[in-house]
């Protein structure tokens, strides 16, 4: 039964490379920039609780399904879904999942690159000591000066996109491996240092209370959807990025264990970021719901006042850029792999074309923070709209159909065979989760967000 395929794009050397690459994809701006600011906007504890439940009950089972489908199909998500549907004698329309995922990834990378550009800009601001002794007001205006200037944003956005294209064009698997191996643990340690600073100098108890004491009266209907959407976003699920990485995974690796490890590391980073930021927010009388600028308005305060702050600050933003870089690579990889497979072009060309397209779309996000900040639909700027559409709608829908496929379309023996979980009870648990709990959970959150339940 087990017919072995291999990917034309190569394979990870060991399962550790896969774990590192997938963790590199998962840990990024979502954890350090987005998680704190949407937690602040959505009232804290109750939002965090829903997010954690979604990671465990929806995220981990879907991650396992994605890795499994990818490893079985061994191609870009579109071709993987087509091959697997054929293998199960089902409608080739399932490949649509690959298309919508590719579209979601393309939209996400367009704005992701703009925000990563902010982090790049902050490397230099921290490096020359701009934050030393600065006040909250001063730091606020440093941020506003940056986002109000479309030319500067465009320049940083361009630099980040070129960095991403450069890596994807060359498939530097070993470069990625080294980067993630060293830089992720460093980022983790630096976050611990920041939490230590927040403990000493911030209002730590107020921060913890905000993060971990659920008050459901503060959580809106839409907030529930945002929490679930973020579980998808932060774990890189629902668009085929993890499926793509799974397609490079050597046979015989435990998909369950690796998925759980990746999810724990990812969640840990987000919670640490929250514990570093909110104590500073409350100690300095800042607004938790300050929006996308939150970390850029709070962390520089810590760097400006701690010993060695210029060094730590610079290092922090360098590592944040790296974290964003390893995530951006995974966002752009599915369309690049598809172009190489289907259009008979080389990787360099595929990466450049995809990158230029995403760069162009990113210009909309750049302008949404300044010249077009009044252009709104449903009270959302272009950036907010693209983020909402992808994270809250496209990723959960994509994830929903991915588990439907894995649980109801693909034959049970096939998934059992591919997952190769040693303990039969664990397989039963996964199968139960993906058949019932995960899809019903996604639907329930959708219904909740529109007020039906
Ligand atoms: N997970 C990344 C982050 O938290 C972003 C990301 C990378 C992503 N690849 C993805 C989000 C695929 C959704 C889908 O920063």
């Amino acid at each position: 039964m087990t017919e072995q395929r291999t990917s034309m794009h190569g394979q990870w050397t060991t399962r550790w490379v896969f774990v590192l690459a997938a963790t590199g994809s998962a840990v990024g701006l979502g954890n350090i920039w987005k998680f704190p600011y949407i937690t602040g906007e959505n009232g804290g504890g109750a939002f965090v609780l829903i997010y954690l439940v979604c990671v465990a009950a929806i995220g981990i089972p879907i991650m396992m399904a994605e890795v499994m489908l990818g490893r079985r199909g061994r191609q870009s998500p579109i071709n993987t879904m087509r091959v697997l549907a054929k293998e199960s004698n089902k409608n080739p329309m399932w490949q649509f999942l690959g298309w919508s995922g590719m579209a979601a990834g393309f939209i996400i990378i367009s704005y992701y690159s703009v925000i990563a550009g902010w982090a790049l800009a902050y490397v230099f601001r921290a490096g020359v000591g701009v934050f030393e002794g600065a006040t909250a007001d001063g730091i606020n205006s440093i941020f506003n000066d940056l986002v109000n200037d479309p030319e500067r944003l465009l320049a940083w956005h361009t630099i980040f996109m070129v960095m991403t294209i450069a890596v994807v064009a060359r498939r530097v698997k070993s470069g990625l491996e080294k980067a993630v191996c060293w830089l992720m643990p460093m980022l983790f340690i630096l976050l611990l240092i920041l939490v230590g600073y927040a403990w000493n100098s911030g209002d730590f108890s107020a921060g913890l209370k905000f993060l971990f004491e659920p008050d459901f009266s503060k959580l809106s209907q839409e907030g529930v959807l945002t929490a679930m959407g973020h579980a998808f976003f932060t774990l890189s699920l629902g668009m085929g990025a993890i499926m793509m990485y799974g397609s490079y995974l050597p046979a015989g690796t435990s998909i369950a264990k690796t998925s759980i490890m990746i999810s724990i590391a990812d969640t840990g980073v987000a919670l640490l970021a929250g514990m570093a930021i909110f104590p500073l927010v409350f100690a300095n009388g800042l607004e938790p719901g300050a929006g996308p600028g939150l970390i850029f308005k709070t962390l520089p305060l810590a760097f400006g006042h701690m010993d060695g702050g210029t060094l730590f600050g610079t290092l922090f933003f360098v590592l944040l850029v790296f974290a964003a870089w390893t995530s951006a690579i995974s966002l752009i990889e599915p369309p690049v792999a598809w172009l190489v497979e289907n259009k008979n072009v080389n990787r360099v060309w595929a990466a450049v074309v995809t990158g230029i397209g995403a760069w162009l779309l990113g210009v909309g996000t750049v302008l949404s923070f300044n010249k077009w900040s009044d252009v709104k639909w449903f009270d959302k700027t272009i950036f907010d709209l693209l983020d909402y559409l992808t994270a809250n709608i496209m990723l959960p829908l994509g994830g929903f159909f991915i588990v439907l496929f894995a649980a109801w379309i693909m034959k049970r023996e096939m998934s059992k065979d591919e997952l190769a979980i040693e303990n039969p009870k664990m397989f039963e648990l996964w199968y139960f989760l993906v058949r019932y709990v995960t899809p019903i959970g996604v639907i329930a959150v959708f219904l909740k967000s529109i007020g039906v339940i």
Side-chain angles (χ1 to χ4, degrees), residues 26 47 76 114 164 176 218-219 228 253 315 354 365 381 388 395 412 416 432 449:
F47 177 86
S76 67
V114 177
T164 306
L176 189 69
K218 289 197 200 145
L219 186 62
M228 175 175 76
T253 304
L315 203 57
T354 317
T365 292
T381 63
Y388 191 91
L395 298 181
R412 187 187 142 100
K416 192 163 184 183
F432 177 75
S449 72

Side-chain angles (χ1 to χ4, degrees), residues 20-31 51 55 59-60 62-64 66-67 77 101 104-105 108 112 228-246 262-263 266-267 323-332 334 390-391 395-396 398-399 402:
L20 291 171
T23 309
S25 163
V27 175
L29 295 172
N31 310 61
Y51 152 73
V55 166
I60 295 177
I62 293 188
M63 186 181 290
M64 290 174 60
E66 267 202 39
V67 177
I108 295 174
Y112 203 85
M228 175 175 76
H230 189 62
F232 281 91
F233 186 90
T234 191
L235 295 173
S236 304
L237 296 177
M239 52 81 51
I242 293 290
M243 198 186 286
M244 192 75 236
Y245 278 13
I262 294 161
S263 304
D266 184 75
T267 309
W325 203 5
T326 53
S327 300
I329 292 166
S330 75
L331 282 162
I332 200 173
T390 47
L395 298 181
I402 287 170

Side-chain angles (χ1 to χ4, degrees), residues 257-332:
K257 277 193 211 123
T258 47
S259 300
I260 292 171
M261 277 192 289
I262 294 161
S263 304
I264 290 176
D266 184 75
T267 309
V269 171
L271 294 179
L272 282 181
M275 292 195 301
I277 287 158
F278 286 108
L280 297 176
V281 169
F282 294 115
N284 292 288
L286 304 172
E287 182 50 55
L294 184 67
I295 69 156
F296 296 94
K297 294 175 181 172
T298 49
L299 292 181
L301 270 176
F303 299 130
H305 295 272
M306 69 204 271
D307 292 334
T310 296
L311 176 70
F312 284 138
T314 315
L315 203 57
F316 174 82
F317 286 110
V318 167
L319 294 173
L320 183 59
V321 169
F322 265 102
W325 203 5
T326 53
S327 300
I329 292 166
S330 75
L331 282 162
I332 200 173

Side-chain angles (χ1 to χ4, degrees), residues 184-206:
M184 286 292 151
M186 267 169 77
L187 181 66
F188 203 78
I189 292 169
L190 214 63
L191 278 171
L192 283 177
I193 293 175
L194 283 172
V195 173
Y197 178 82
W199 171 298
N200 275 322
S201 315
D203 190 343
F204 205 66
S205 63

